[in-house]
Amino acid sequence: SEAARTYQSMLLQVKDQGQVPRLAKLVKDAGFDLADKTERAEQAGMLINIITLVFSLISVIIVGIAAVNISHTFFMIVFQRKREIGVLRAVGASRNDVRALILTEAGSIGLIAGATGALLGLAAARAADLLSGNLPDFPYKPDTFFAFPWWLWPTAVGFAALFCLFGAFFPANAAARLEPAEALTN
């Protein structure tokens, strides 16, 4: 019979709530009608995408500000260590040696700070997940609100080191240009 070969409804499940708007468009393009819940799910998926975009933009701005602060800090470090750098240059350190010293210090600080930040982020995420256990169930409520895939760890630590090196690049060049006599007399 014809009724036995047709479906009255279909339930689709997605792994990532951000994919709901795309899936809903595919279903509509295939000529199927969507229930009211799907429209709300589509709106929720779109809201999640917008919030993710806003937080990503905020993160980029924060990283840029951090690079400027790192640069300022390393300029101060170079100024305070002017005599030390002058002595290094006077006993035979080349400009590249001084530049490498400053950049190595910056890279080390970036690695340590990145690892510490990632661990603190994980701890804060776990605490938020524990606190969210008291929330009532709602559609598309995830098991965890924060994902920490394996690739995030080296990426986070790498970005921290990279931006620390970026922030220290100009101060390292300024330190490398210091003349020993000038650095020791001032």
Side-chain angles (χ1 to χ4, degrees):
S1 109
E2 176 83 22
R5 289 188 296 236
T6 62
Y7 295 98
Q8 297 298 320
S9 65
M10 186 181 342
L11 178 65
L12 301 174
Q13 185 175 358
V14 294
K15 290 182 181 180
D16 179 14
Q17 287 81 15
Q19 296 298 319
V20 170
R22 188 175 72 79
L23 181 62
K25 183 180 180 323
L26 288 172
V27 169
K28 286 179 184 177
D29 290 347
F32 295 104
D33 291 329
L34 297 174
D36 287 341
K37 289 183 181 181
T38 306
E39 290 177 17
R40 283 187 271 151
E42 187 176 329
Q43 290 172 351
M46 185 63 73
L47 181 63
I48 289 170
N49 287 339
I50 290 170
I51 290 172
T52 301
L53 183 65
V54 167
F55 280 134
S56 297
L57 180 64
I58 290 170
S59 297
V60 168
I61 291 169
I62 289 171
V63 167
I65 291 170
V68 170
N69 284 335
I70 290 166
S71 184
H72 183 261
T73 301
F74 272 94
F75 270 119
M76 290 183 59
I77 288 171
V78 166
F79 179 76
Q80 291 174 348
R81 294 172 61 189
K82 200 175 199 179
R83 288 182 163 261
E84 177 186 336
I85 293 167
V87 169
L88 286 172
R89 291 283 311 219
V91 297
S94 69
R95 292 178 189 263
N96 285 336
D97 292 336
V98 172
R99 186 179 298 112
L101 175 70
I102 301 294
L103 290 176
T104 301
E105 290 174 2
S108 300
I109 290 169
L111 289 173
I112 292 168
T116 303
L119 288 172
L120 287 173
L122 178 63
R126 296 294 186 247
D129 280 343
L130 282 173
L131 292 173
S132 71
N134 298 333
L135 291 176
D137 282 341
F138 54 88
Y140 306 108
K141 182 179 177 185
D143 295 332
T144 178
F145 288 96
F146 304 94
F148 283 90
W150 70 268
W151 55 264
L152 184 64
W153 298 98
T155 303
V157 173
F159 269 121
L162 181 69
F163 275 93
C164 209
L165 287 170
F166 176 73
F169 179 76
F170 294 110
N173 283 337
R177 286 192 305 268
L178 284 176
E179 292 297 328
E182 178 187 333
L184 292 171
T185 57
N186 289 336

